[in-house]
């Protein structure tokens, strides 16, 4: 099971960005104390993954390292929206650099969420990133399976990735309805 979500929560006039994951890594073993989330070097953004640890975790580490080397990224002079394009460029470059794969189709099981603070718009942003078989590359994916711009009409933006996406979304709706009532 894998589950990672990012939520832009609004309380009165204040926004906050919340990332969460189930934090279990696997790949022939189970390791319950390892993150699937990482704050990036510039500290106003984070990246999370769902999928094959052997594939996605090294990719997340390489993106982290690439950010430490690029001054515009490190010093936050690049807007988070532009940084998303930078992250996508690196994800796609790295995915094409993998060779001698046992299963040539394993790439499409990996998903990412990138999010952070957009100083131009003065708000948080989140982007689910999934593999497009048709285009043979990773893209931002705003399909309702992964992204809700106004979850249940009142709970803000939420992005959810992982093989338990549908189950989590259904259970989250049930909890929110029990606590707050049906959306109007």
């Amino acid at each position: 099971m894998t589950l990672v979500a990012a939520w832009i929560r609004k309380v009165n006039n204040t926004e906050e960005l919340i990332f969460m994951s189930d934090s279990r890594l696997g790949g022939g073993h189970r390791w319950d104390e390892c993150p699937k989330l990482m704050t990036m070097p510039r500290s106003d953004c984070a990246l999370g993954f769902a999928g094959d640890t052997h594939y996605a975790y090294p990719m997340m580490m390489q993106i982290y390292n690439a950010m430490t080397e690029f001054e515009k990224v490190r010093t936050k002079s690049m807007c988070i929206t532009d940084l998303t394009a930078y992250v996508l460029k690196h994800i796609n470059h790295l995915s094409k650099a993998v060779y001698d794969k046992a299963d040539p189709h394993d790439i499409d099981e990996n998903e990412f969420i990138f999010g952070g603070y957009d100083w131009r718009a003065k708000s948080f942003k989140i982007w689910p990133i999934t593999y497009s078989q048709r285009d043979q590359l990773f893209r931002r994916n705003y399909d309702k399976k992964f992204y809700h711009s106004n979850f249940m009409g009142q709970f803000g933006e939420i992005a959810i990735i992982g093989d338990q996406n549908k189950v989590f979304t259904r259970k989250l709706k049930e909890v929110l309805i029990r606590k707050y009532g049906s959306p109007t």
Side-chain angles (χ1 to χ4, degrees):
M1 180 184 116
T2 295
L3 187 67
V4 176
W7 176 32
I8 300 173
R9 180 184 139 159
K10 294 182 182 174
V11 178
N12 299 322
N13 292 328
T14 303
E15 267 189 354
E16 61 184 352
L17 177 58
I18 300 166
F19 272 81
M20 71 105 212
S21 98
D22 61 354
S23 79
R24 171 178 275 187
L25 296 183
H29 60 280
R30 295 286 178 253
W31 200 354
D32 289 342
E33 299 173 15
C34 292
K36 293 179 180 173
L37 305 172
M38 182 176 284
T39 304
M40 296 289 107
R42 61 186 267 162
S43 76
D44 67 344
C45 59
L47 179 66
F49 76 88
D52 183 354
T53 301
H54 289 101
Y55 186 90
Y57 192 80
M59 189 174 288
M60 186 169 71
M61 294 303 299
Q62 285 295 97
I63 291 166
Y64 181 94
N65 290 333
M67 286 187 184
T68 64
E69 299 299 319
F70 191 29
E71 187 174 354
K72 279 183 80 172
V73 171
R74 200 176 56 250
T75 61
K76 301 179 187 176
S77 62
M78 179 184 280
C79 175
I80 195 78
T81 304
D82 298 334
L83 182 56
T84 304
Y86 178 83
V87 168
L88 268 172
K89 176 182 154 190
H90 279 283
I91 288 173
N92 283 309
H93 169 77
L94 292 166
S95 68
K96 287 178 182 9
V98 176
Y99 61 94
D100 203 18
K101 295 189 285 185
D103 179 0
H105 304 291
D106 65 352
I107 189 171
D108 54 352
E109 296 175 6
N110 294 282
E111 301 163 344
F112 299 89
I113 293 178
F114 182 68
Y117 188 72
D118 183 338
W119 46 263
R120 285 184 190 151
K122 299 191 181 348
S123 63
F124 288 102
K125 307 280 185 196
I126 50 177
W127 296 273
I129 299 170
T130 63
Y131 191 75
S132 166
Q133 281 287 25
R134 185 182 58 125
D135 300 328
Q136 298 287 295
L137 49 87
F138 284 90
R139 296 210 173 272
R140 291 173 223 157
N141 190 335
Y142 295 106
D143 184 285
K144 285 191 186 276
K145 176 183 175 189
F146 302 105
Y147 177 80
H148 307 272
S149 62
N150 191 11
F151 193 66
M152 294 179 60
Q154 61 191 13
F155 295 107
E157 288 180 62
I158 189 167
I160 306 164
I161 59 172
D163 60 356
Q164 295 298 306
N165 183 329
K166 283 183 184 177
V167 173
F168 176 77
T169 303
R170 181 179 39 79
K171 287 185 178 189
L172 178 59
K173 286 178 180 179
E174 289 170 7
V175 167
L176 292 172
I177 288 170
R178 253 192 331 271
K179 185 166 182 165
Y180 300 104
S182 292
T184 56

